[in-house]
Amino acid sequence: MSDESLTIGEVSERTGLGIHTLRYYEKEGLLLGSVARSSGGRRRYSAFDVEWLQLCNRFRACGMPLNDIRRYAELVAAGPGNEQQRLELLRTHEIRVRAELAQMTENLAVIEAKARLYAEHVESGTAGTLWTGRTPTCLALEAMANRDSQAVSSGSPR
């Protein structure tokens, strides 16, 4: 990116972050330094600031807590010598995201199975027999229960 100077509105457009969010991020110490100001006192962001904010967006999109982003920013701003700490922070979050992905994948499998069940019943004209107040037919839950019982009997982890 070039050495251009951007207004808070331009940065908002480029990052998708609202103006209030940008001010909040600055106040909370999520940027790598203070934002430059024009002679009139208006914020002037650099292209580097925009790149950093886009990285912060990625961190937030995958659920990284603001405290972790702040700590990472502090480590980066401190310069060389703390790369191991940065790596540990990123690996810890990576493990959290992978666990969430695994849970979401399992949740998606249940939804897909349920949708297939409904599609079959809608197509055959028997959808009115689903979830009628009696014990419901839920192939997705049955499949998960079968998978769990097979894993237990085979001694393999889920």
Side-chain angles (χ1 to χ4, degrees):
M1 293 187 124
S2 67
D3 288 339
E4 66 184 322
S5 176
L6 303 164
T7 66
I8 196 168
E10 291 167 329
V11 172
S12 176
E13 287 177 20
R14 290 186 185 194
T15 63
L17 294 169
I19 290 170
H20 296 294
T21 301
L22 290 168
R23 289 181 183 134
Y24 176 76
Y25 277 21
E26 181 181 355
K27 182 181 126 212
E28 290 298 311
L30 302 182
L31 300 174
L32 293 183
S34 59
V35 175
R37 300 284 179 151
S38 70
S39 58
R42 296 188 183 272
R43 288 171 175 82
R44 299 303 298 180
Y45 293 84
S46 68
F48 180 80
D49 292 327
V50 172
E51 288 179 16
W52 179 259
L53 286 163
Q54 289 169 333
L55 178 61
C56 289
N57 266 349
R58 294 285 182 171
F59 288 157
R60 288 298 297 147
C62 66
M64 183 181 274
L66 289 178
N67 285 339
D68 288 354
I69 297 172
R70 181 181 306 105
R71 180 67 183 137
Y72 184 73
E74 290 167 355
L75 291 168
V76 171
N82 59 32
E83 291 80 7
Q84 184 62 40
Q85 290 171 283
R86 294 183 213 179
L87 176 60
E88 288 170 13
L89 190 147
L90 292 170
R91 289 289 189 212
T92 298
H93 187 63
E94 179 185 10
I95 290 166
R96 248 189 326 256
V97 170
R98 288 188 186 283
E100 290 173 10
L101 279 171
Q103 184 63 57
M104 291 300 285
T105 299
E106 190 172 304
N107 294 344
L108 180 59
V110 171
I111 293 167
E112 288 172 336
K114 196 69 184 165
R116 275 193 307 277
L117 176 68
Y118 270 84
E120 291 168 7
H121 280 273
V122 166
E123 188 174 314
S124 70
T126 59
T129 63
L130 296 170
W131 301 100
T132 59
R134 297 185 181 153
T135 303
T137 301
C138 185
L139 298 181
L141 294 177
E142 290 171 14
M144 286 178 62
N146 288 338
R147 185 191 67 219
D148 291 346
S149 67
Q150 289 172 354
V152 169
S153 66
S154 70
S156 65
R158 280 185 29 188

